[in-house]
Amino acid sequence: MPSELETAMESLIMVFHRYAGKEGRSGTLTRRELRTLMENELSGFLKSQKDPTTIDRIMKDLDANGDGEVNFEEFVSLVVGLSIACEACYRTQLKNTQTWNL
Amino acid sequence: MEGAIKTVVMQYLSSARGKESLGGKNFQKLVQGQLGNILSDTDSASAVKDMMKGLDDNQDGKVSFQEYLTLVGYLANSLSEQKSTASGHEEAPKH
């Protein structure tokens, strides 16, 4: 039985490959695939993702090897960045409720 | 996907029990409880200690949230590579 954390990692991998397989190289996200992924999967976190300059900026930030697409390793940076942003917010939430039961 | 990110964050926060970072014991509990299926050796206290040393960039003897994300990212990358090799995609990992 996979744990919650293992299941979470698994689902991040699945999400990436589901969108990466739509067009272009199958193991990487094109700009359009990244945009669809963010619109469908991160609409609660990234309210301003409709702004086309946001997606360009994120794409540029993520594309560490400069090949114009986002591979899984580069996608992980997005996950890390979002986790760091959420950490502060969940920490405050937890402090206010004082419960550690998930 | 937002749920998955929330799980990643919450697993750390609940293991740290309100503290800034994870001490050795809590890190061991987290690894044993949450990563037992994808990591071997999680039952060995010394293996977990070695892993913790490897993650501890700032050498404070604890695992910060950033250091924990390094581990999660590393594991996700290896899992993803395993999967794409298994399914026959030739996206060679570059290092």
Side-chain angles (χ1 to χ4, degrees):
Chain A
M1 241 307 257
S3 71
E4 287 170 82
L5 185 57
E6 287 164 343
T7 309
M9 287 196 266
E10 186 81 13
S11 79
L12 291 170
I13 295 168
M14 302 291 275
V15 165
F16 175 85
H17 288 287
R18 196 160 71 231
Y19 288 88
K22 286 182 198 280
E23 61 172 32
R25 278 175 280 156
S26 70
T28 54
L29 293 168
T30 60
R31 182 182 179 282
R32 199 195 322 203
E33 285 167 342
L34 178 66
R35 196 185 62 203
T36 320
L37 184 153
M38 293 195 343
E39 278 171 5
N40 293 343
E41 305 292 332
L42 297 167
S43 55
F45 283 178
L46 300 164
K47 294 251 157 47
S48 64
Q49 90 279 33
K50 287 251 152 58
D51 177 357
T53 58
T54 309
I55 180 88
D56 282 336
R57 214 178 47 232
I58 293 177
M59 184 92 201
K60 215 173 139 198
D61 282 350
L62 293 179
D63 184 16
N65 65 3
D67 68 349
E69 300 198 11
V70 173
N71 63 26
F72 187 76
E73 221 175 315
E74 292 162 349
F75 172 74
V76 165
S77 317
L78 174 67
V79 174
V80 166
L82 290 171
S83 302
I84 290 169
C86 292
E87 191 239 355
C89 145
Y90 291 139
R91 204 181 268 277
T92 326
Q93 264 179 32
L94 285 173
K95 230 173 234 158
N96 293 339
T97 53
Q98 290 292 328
T99 63
W100 299 102
N101 308 318
L102 295 178
Chain B
M1 180 170 163
E2 290 173 354
I5 292 176
K6 183 170 181 175
T7 303
V8 169
V9 177
M10 287 308 220
Q11 285 299 331
Y12 180 85
L13 291 182
S14 67
S15 302
R17 308 213 144 250
K19 301 221 180 66
E20 270 308 304
S21 50
L22 274 183
K25 228 185 224 161
N26 287 336
F27 178 69
Q28 192 171 343
K29 243 189 240 167
L30 172 69
V31 169
Q32 278 170 355
Q34 293 294 323
L35 299 168
N37 294 304
I38 57 171
L39 286 175
S40 53
D41 280 359
T42 55
D43 287 333
S44 149
S46 69
V48 176
K49 215 180 220 166
D50 285 344
M51 186 159 82
M52 187 166 155
K53 270 189 210 144
L55 289 172
D56 191 10
D57 277 339
N58 63 359
Q59 311 236 314
D60 64 350
K62 293 180 197 138
V63 177
S64 71
F65 185 63
Q66 295 257 357
E67 291 160 353
Y68 160 78
L69 289 178
T70 307
L71 173 66
V72 172
Y74 172 78
L75 292 174
N77 270 316
S78 336
L79 282 177
S80 169
E81 267 165 35
Q82 272 171 26
K83 259 185 221 297
S84 51
T85 327
S87 62
H89 290 294
E90 282 307 314
E91 286 289 333
K94 288 164 226 97
H95 287 287

PDB file of all heavy atoms in Angstrom, chain B residues 5 9-10 17 23 26 28 30-31 33 35-36 39 41 43 51-52 66 69 73 75 77 83-84 90-92 95:
ATOM      1  N   ILE B   5       0.405  18.588  -3.964  1.00  0.00           N
ATOM      2  CA  ILE B   5       1.338  19.551  -3.375  1.00  0.00           C
ATOM      3  C   ILE B   5       0.994  19.780  -1.906  1.00  0.00           C
ATOM      4  O   ILE B   5       1.868  19.821  -1.045  1.00  0.00           O
ATOM      5  CB  ILE B   5       1.314  20.880  -4.164  1.00  0.00           C
ATOM      6  CG1 ILE B   5       1.909  20.633  -5.557  1.00  0.00           C
ATOM      7  CG2 ILE B   5       2.076  21.972  -3.438  1.00  0.00           C
ATOM      8  CD1 ILE B   5       1.865  21.799  -6.484  1.00  0.00           C
ATOM      9  N   VAL B   9       3.461  19.172   1.407  1.00  0.00           N
ATOM     10  CA  VAL B   9       3.718  20.180   2.440  1.00  0.00           C
ATOM     11  C   VAL B   9       3.242  19.691   3.813  1.00  0.00           C
ATOM     12  O   VAL B   9       3.970  19.768   4.809  1.00  0.00           O
ATOM     13  CB  VAL B   9       3.012  21.515   2.085  1.00  0.00           C
ATOM     14  CG1 VAL B   9       3.205  22.537   3.189  1.00  0.00           C
ATOM     15  CG2 VAL B   9       3.531  22.058   0.760  1.00  0.00           C
ATOM     16  N   MET B  10       2.020  19.147   3.833  1.00  0.00           N
ATOM     17  CA  MET B  10       1.434  18.750   5.112  1.00  0.00           C
ATOM     18  C   MET B  10       2.177  17.602   5.779  1.00  0.00           C
ATOM     19  O   MET B  10       2.251  17.538   6.999  1.00  0.00           O
ATOM     20  CB  MET B  10      -0.037  18.362   4.915  1.00  0.00           C
ATOM     21  CG  MET B  10      -0.922  19.555   4.662  1.00  0.00           C
ATOM     22  SD  MET B  10      -0.728  20.852   5.909  1.00  0.00           S
ATOM     23  CE  MET B  10      -2.395  21.355   6.107  1.00  0.00           C
ATOM     24  N   ARG B  17       5.794  18.836  13.641  1.00  0.00           N
ATOM     25  CA  ARG B  17       4.983  19.168  14.821  1.00  0.00           C
ATOM     26  C   ARG B  17       5.164  20.608  15.288  1.00  0.00           C
ATOM     27  O   ARG B  17       5.460  20.874  16.451  1.00  0.00           O
ATOM     28  CB  ARG B  17       5.289  18.220  15.972  1.00  0.00           C
ATOM     29  CG  ARG B  17       5.191  16.778  15.573  1.00  0.00           C
ATOM     30  CD  ARG B  17       4.693  15.892  16.704  1.00  0.00           C
ATOM     31  NE  ARG B  17       3.856  14.836  16.168  1.00  0.00           N
ATOM     32  CZ  ARG B  17       2.537  14.747  16.346  1.00  0.00           C
ATOM     33  NH1 ARG B  17       1.905  15.630  17.064  1.00  0.00           N
ATOM     34  NH2 ARG B  17       1.850  13.776  15.819  1.00  0.00           N
ATOM     35  N   GLY B  23      13.892  17.254  13.233  1.00  0.00           N
ATOM     36  CA  GLY B  23      15.018  16.624  13.906  1.00  0.00           C
ATOM     37  C   GLY B  23      15.164  15.180  13.450  1.00  0.00           C
ATOM     38  O   GLY B  23      14.313  14.660  12.731  1.00  0.00           O
ATOM     39  N   ASN B  26      12.151  12.649  14.123  1.00  0.00           N
ATOM     40  CA  ASN B  26      10.956  12.912  13.313  1.00  0.00           C
ATOM     41  C   ASN B  26      11.207  12.644  11.829  1.00  0.00           C
ATOM     42  O   ASN B  26      10.315  12.201  11.120  1.00  0.00           O
ATOM     43  CB  ASN B  26      10.487  14.361  13.499  1.00  0.00           C
ATOM     44  CG  ASN B  26       9.843  14.563  14.855  1.00  0.00           C
ATOM     45  OD1 ASN B  26       9.354  13.613  15.460  1.00  0.00           O
ATOM     46  ND2 ASN B  26       9.851  15.782  15.347  1.00  0.00           N
ATOM     47  N   GLN B  28      13.246  10.380  10.712  1.00  0.00           N
ATOM     48  CA  GLN B  28      13.230   8.920  10.588  1.00  0.00           C
ATOM     49  C   GLN B  28      11.786   8.394  10.527  1.00  0.00           C
ATOM     50  O   GLN B  28      11.471   7.525   9.715  1.00  0.00           O
ATOM     51  CB  GLN B  28      13.966   8.302  11.772  1.00  0.00           C
ATOM     52  CG  GLN B  28      14.245   6.836  11.577  1.00  0.00           C
ATOM     53  CD  GLN B  28      15.173   6.297  12.652  1.00  0.00           C
ATOM     54  OE1 GLN B  28      15.844   7.052  13.341  1.00  0.00           O
ATOM     55  NE2 GLN B  28      15.221   4.992  12.798  1.00  0.00           N
ATOM     56  N   LEU B  30       9.171  10.021   9.501  1.00  0.00           N
ATOM     57  CA  LEU B  30       8.594  10.417   8.215  1.00  0.00           C
ATOM     58  C   LEU B  30       9.045   9.471   7.099  1.00  0.00           C
ATOM     59  O   LEU B  30       8.239   8.992   6.300  1.00  0.00           O
ATOM     60  CB  LEU B  30       9.010  11.855   7.894  1.00  0.00           C
ATOM     61  CG  LEU B  30       8.670  12.393   6.489  1.00  0.00           C
ATOM     62  CD1 LEU B  30       7.172  12.580   6.322  1.00  0.00           C
ATOM     63  CD2 LEU B  30       9.361  13.716   6.227  1.00  0.00           C
ATOM     64  N   VAL B  31      10.340   9.196   7.067  1.00  0.00           N
ATOM     65  CA  VAL B  31      10.879   8.332   6.017  1.00  0.00           C
ATOM     66  C   VAL B  31      10.301   6.915   6.137  1.00  0.00           C
ATOM     67  O   VAL B  31       9.874   6.321   5.155  1.00  0.00           O
ATOM     68  CB  VAL B  31      12.423   8.318   6.086  1.00  0.00           C
ATOM     69  CG1 VAL B  31      12.987   7.235   5.192  1.00  0.00           C
ATOM     70  CG2 VAL B  31      12.977   9.669   5.677  1.00  0.00           C
ATOM     71  N   GLY B  33       7.520   5.982   7.672  1.00  0.00           N
ATOM     72  CA  GLY B  33       6.074   5.939   7.509  1.00  0.00           C
ATOM     73  C   GLY B  33       5.626   6.250   6.083  1.00  0.00           C
ATOM     74  O   GLY B  33       4.615   5.738   5.632  1.00  0.00           O
ATOM     75  N   LEU B  35       7.893   6.701   3.102  1.00  0.00           N
ATOM     76  CA  LEU B  35       8.715   6.365   1.940  1.00  0.00           C
ATOM     77  C   LEU B  35       9.201   4.917   1.936  1.00  0.00           C
ATOM     78  O   LEU B  35      10.107   4.556   1.191  1.00  0.00           O
ATOM     79  CB  LEU B  35       9.917   7.324   1.845  1.00  0.00           C
ATOM     80  CG  LEU B  35       9.553   8.803   1.677  1.00  0.00           C
ATOM     81  CD1 LEU B  35      10.757   9.697   1.880  1.00  0.00           C
ATOM     82  CD2 LEU B  35       8.955   9.047   0.294  1.00  0.00           C
ATOM     83  N   GLY B  36       8.567   4.104   2.783  1.00  0.00           N
ATOM     84  CA  GLY B  36       8.990   2.722   2.926  1.00  0.00           C
ATOM     85  C   GLY B  36       8.868   1.877   1.670  1.00  0.00           C
ATOM     86  O   GLY B  36       9.594   0.912   1.493  1.00  0.00           O
ATOM     87  N   LEU B  39      11.753   3.449  -1.004  1.00  0.00           N
ATOM     88  CA  LEU B  39      13.144   3.411  -0.574  1.00  0.00           C
ATOM     89  C   LEU B  39      13.414   2.101   0.140  1.00  0.00           C
ATOM     90  O   LEU B  39      12.588   1.637   0.921  1.00  0.00           O
ATOM     91  CB  LEU B  39      13.428   4.559   0.397  1.00  0.00           C
ATOM     92  CG  LEU B  39      13.533   5.962  -0.158  1.00  0.00           C
ATOM     93  CD1 LEU B  39      13.704   6.950   0.982  1.00  0.00           C
ATOM     94  CD2 LEU B  39      14.714   6.054  -1.113  1.00  0.00           C
ATOM     95  N   ASP B  41      15.928   0.065   2.867  1.00  0.00           N
ATOM     96  CA  ASP B  41      16.739   0.478   4.019  1.00  0.00           C
ATOM     97  C   ASP B  41      16.091   1.482   4.962  1.00  0.00           C
ATOM     98  O   ASP B  41      16.769   2.055   5.795  1.00  0.00           O
ATOM     99  CB  ASP B  41      18.063   1.120   3.566  1.00  0.00           C
ATOM    100  CG  ASP B  41      19.092   0.063   3.197  1.00  0.00           C
ATOM    101  OD1 ASP B  41      18.745  -1.128   3.327  1.00  0.00           O
ATOM    102  OD2 ASP B  41      20.197   0.434   2.791  1.00  0.00           O
ATOM    103  N   ASP B  43      14.249   0.912   7.322  1.00  0.00           N
ATOM    104  CA  ASP B  43      14.234   0.353   8.674  1.00  0.00           C
ATOM    105  C   ASP B  43      15.576   0.488   9.373  1.00  0.00           C
ATOM    106  O   ASP B  43      15.664   0.355  10.587  1.00  0.00           O
ATOM    107  CB  ASP B  43      13.830  -1.129   8.634  1.00  0.00           C
ATOM    108  CG  ASP B  43      12.350  -1.274   8.337  1.00  0.00           C
ATOM    109  OD1 ASP B  43      11.599  -0.334   8.679  1.00  0.00           O
ATOM    110  OD2 ASP B  43      11.962  -2.302   7.762  1.00  0.00           O
ATOM    111  N   MET B  51      21.269   9.362   5.058  1.00  0.00           N
ATOM    112  CA  MET B  51      20.463  10.100   4.102  1.00  0.00           C
ATOM    113  C   MET B  51      20.256  11.524   4.613  1.00  0.00           C
ATOM    114  O   MET B  51      20.333  12.506   3.865  1.00  0.00           O
ATOM    115  CB  MET B  51      19.115   9.405   3.944  1.00  0.00           C
ATOM    116  CG  MET B  51      18.254   9.982   2.888  1.00  0.00           C
ATOM    117  SD  MET B  51      17.032   8.794   2.378  1.00  0.00           S
ATOM    118  CE  MET B  51      15.825   8.968   3.603  1.00  0.00           C
ATOM    119  N   MET B  52      20.016  11.629   5.906  1.00  0.00           N
ATOM    120  CA  MET B  52      19.795  12.939   6.508  1.00  0.00           C
ATOM    121  C   MET B  52      21.046  13.801   6.369  1.00  0.00           C
ATOM    122  O   MET B  52      20.958  14.980   6.037  1.00  0.00           O
ATOM    123  CB  MET B  52      19.450  12.724   7.976  1.00  0.00           C
ATOM    124  CG  MET B  52      19.041  13.976   8.659  1.00  0.00           C
ATOM    125  SD  MET B  52      18.272  13.573  10.226  1.00  0.00           S
ATOM    126  CE  MET B  52      18.614  15.103  11.068  1.00  0.00           C
ATOM    127  N   GLN B  66      13.193  23.097   2.830  1.00  0.00           N
ATOM    128  CA  GLN B  66      13.892  23.100   1.536  1.00  0.00           C
ATOM    129  C   GLN B  66      14.658  21.799   1.321  1.00  0.00           C
ATOM    130  O   GLN B  66      14.655  21.242   0.227  1.00  0.00           O
ATOM    131  CB  GLN B  66      14.921  24.240   1.498  1.00  0.00           C
ATOM    132  CG  GLN B  66      14.325  25.625   1.545  1.00  0.00           C
ATOM    133  CD  GLN B  66      14.339  26.271   0.174  1.00  0.00           C
ATOM    134  OE1 GLN B  66      14.839  25.700  -0.767  1.00  0.00           O
ATOM    135  NE2 GLN B  66      13.762  27.456   0.070  1.00  0.00           N
ATOM    136  N   LEU B  69      12.348  19.114   0.458  1.00  0.00           N
ATOM    137  CA  LEU B  69      11.890  19.191  -0.932  1.00  0.00           C
ATOM    138  C   LEU B  69      12.947  18.667  -1.901  1.00  0.00           C
ATOM    139  O   LEU B  69      12.615  18.128  -2.955  1.00  0.00           O
ATOM    140  CB  LEU B  69      11.514  20.630  -1.291  1.00  0.00           C
ATOM    141  CG  LEU B  69      10.241  21.176  -0.653  1.00  0.00           C
ATOM    142  CD1 LEU B  69      10.022  22.630  -1.053  1.00  0.00           C
ATOM    143  CD2 LEU B  69       9.015  20.354  -1.027  1.00  0.00           C
ATOM    144  N   GLY B  73      11.946  15.937  -4.549  1.00  0.00           N
ATOM    145  CA  GLY B  73      12.232  16.193  -5.954  1.00  0.00           C
ATOM    146  C   GLY B  73      13.125  15.125  -6.551  1.00  0.00           C
ATOM    147  O   GLY B  73      12.887  14.628  -7.656  1.00  0.00           O
ATOM    148  N   LEU B  75      13.483  12.028  -5.496  1.00  0.00           N
ATOM    149  CA  LEU B  75      12.745  10.768  -5.605  1.00  0.00           C
ATOM    150  C   LEU B  75      11.753  10.804  -6.755  1.00  0.00           C
ATOM    151  O   LEU B  75      11.619   9.827  -7.504  1.00  0.00           O
ATOM    152  CB  LEU B  75      12.003  10.472  -4.300  1.00  0.00           C
ATOM    153  CG  LEU B  75      12.892  10.140  -3.101  1.00  0.00           C
ATOM    154  CD1 LEU B  75      12.052  10.004  -1.844  1.00  0.00           C
ATOM    155  CD2 LEU B  75      13.677   8.860  -3.342  1.00  0.00           C
ATOM    156  N   ASN B  77      12.007  12.538  -9.467  1.00  0.00           N
ATOM    157  CA  ASN B  77      12.788  12.401 -10.698  1.00  0.00           C
ATOM    158  C   ASN B  77      13.172  10.955 -10.983  1.00  0.00           C
ATOM    159  O   ASN B  77      13.054  10.495 -12.117  1.00  0.00           O
ATOM    160  CB  ASN B  77      14.068  13.237 -10.609  1.00  0.00           C
ATOM    161  CG  ASN B  77      13.844  14.637 -11.143  1.00  0.00           C
ATOM    162  OD1 ASN B  77      13.216  14.821 -12.178  1.00  0.00           O
ATOM    163  ND2 ASN B  77      14.351  15.624 -10.432  1.00  0.00           N
ATOM    164  N   LYS B  83       9.854   5.061 -14.757  1.00  0.00           N
ATOM    165  CA  LYS B  83       8.622   4.847 -15.500  1.00  0.00           C
ATOM    166  C   LYS B  83       8.827   5.012 -16.997  1.00  0.00           C
ATOM    167  O   LYS B  83       8.344   4.223 -17.784  1.00  0.00           O
ATOM    168  CB  LYS B  83       7.579   5.851 -15.057  1.00  0.00           C
ATOM    169  CG  LYS B  83       6.602   5.254 -14.111  1.00  0.00           C
ATOM    170  CD  LYS B  83       5.525   6.260 -13.814  1.00  0.00           C
ATOM    171  CE  LYS B  83       5.181   6.227 -12.367  1.00  0.00           C
ATOM    172  NZ  LYS B  83       4.629   4.989 -11.900  1.00  0.00           N
ATOM    173  N   SER B  84       9.549   6.090 -17.387  1.00  0.00           N
ATOM    174  CA  SER B  84       9.676   6.324 -18.823  1.00  0.00           C
ATOM    175  C   SER B  84      10.591   5.277 -19.457  1.00  0.00           C
ATOM    176  O   SER B  84      10.398   4.905 -20.605  1.00  0.00           O
ATOM    177  CB  SER B  84      10.145   7.744 -19.125  1.00  0.00           C
ATOM    178  OG  SER B  84      11.276   8.054 -18.390  1.00  0.00           O
ATOM    179  N   GLU B  90      12.287   7.010 -24.939  1.00  0.00           N
ATOM    180  CA  GLU B  90      13.724   7.236 -24.876  1.00  0.00           C
ATOM    181  C   GLU B  90      14.046   8.689 -24.608  1.00  0.00           C
ATOM    182  O   GLU B  90      14.476   9.437 -25.465  1.00  0.00           O
ATOM    183  CB  GLU B  90      14.401   6.758 -26.171  1.00  0.00           C
ATOM    184  CG  GLU B  90      14.588   5.259 -26.252  1.00  0.00           C
ATOM    185  CD  GLU B  90      15.307   4.653 -25.037  1.00  0.00           C
ATOM    186  OE1 GLU B  90      16.332   5.230 -24.617  1.00  0.00           O
ATOM    187  OE2 GLU B  90      14.841   3.636 -24.507  1.00  0.00           O
ATOM    188  N   GLU B  91      13.751   9.107 -23.390  1.00  0.00           N
ATOM    189  CA  GLU B  91      14.137  10.449 -22.978  1.00  0.00           C
ATOM    190  C   GLU B  91      15.285  10.264 -22.005  1.00  0.00           C
ATOM    191  O   GLU B  91      15.101  10.181 -20.806  1.00  0.00           O
ATOM    192  CB  GLU B  91      12.968  11.165 -22.284  1.00  0.00           C
ATOM    193  CG  GLU B  91      11.881  11.609 -23.233  1.00  0.00           C
ATOM    194  CD  GLU B  91      12.312  12.784 -24.113  1.00  0.00           C
ATOM    195  OE1 GLU B  91      13.190  13.568 -23.692  1.00  0.00           O
ATOM    196  OE2 GLU B  91      11.792  12.904 -25.229  1.00  0.00           O
ATOM    197  N   ALA B  92      16.484  10.197 -22.526  1.00  0.00           N
ATOM    198  CA  ALA B  92      17.628   9.887 -21.679  1.00  0.00           C
ATOM    199  C   ALA B  92      17.837  10.975 -20.633  1.00  0.00           C
ATOM    200  O   ALA B  92      17.805  12.155 -20.962  1.00  0.00           O
ATOM    201  CB  ALA B  92      18.873   9.754 -22.535  1.00  0.00           C
ATOM    202  N   HIS B  95      22.738  14.453 -17.019  1.00  0.00           N
ATOM    203  CA  HIS B  95      23.281  14.889 -15.729  1.00  0.00           C
ATOM    204  C   HIS B  95      24.486  15.779 -15.916  1.00  0.00           C
ATOM    205  O   HIS B  95      25.249  15.584 -16.829  1.00  0.00           O
ATOM    206  CB  HIS B  95      23.651  13.698 -14.868  1.00  0.00           C
ATOM    207  CG  HIS B  95      22.427  13.007 -14.339  1.00  0.00           C
ATOM    208  ND1 HIS B  95      21.650  13.550 -13.357  1.00  0.00           N
ATOM    209  CD2 HIS B  95      21.838  11.869 -14.722  1.00  0.00           C
ATOM    210  CE1 HIS B  95      20.630  12.739 -13.143  1.00  0.00           C
ATOM    211  NE2 HIS B  95      20.723  11.708 -13.952  1.00  0.00           N
TER     212      HIS B  95
END
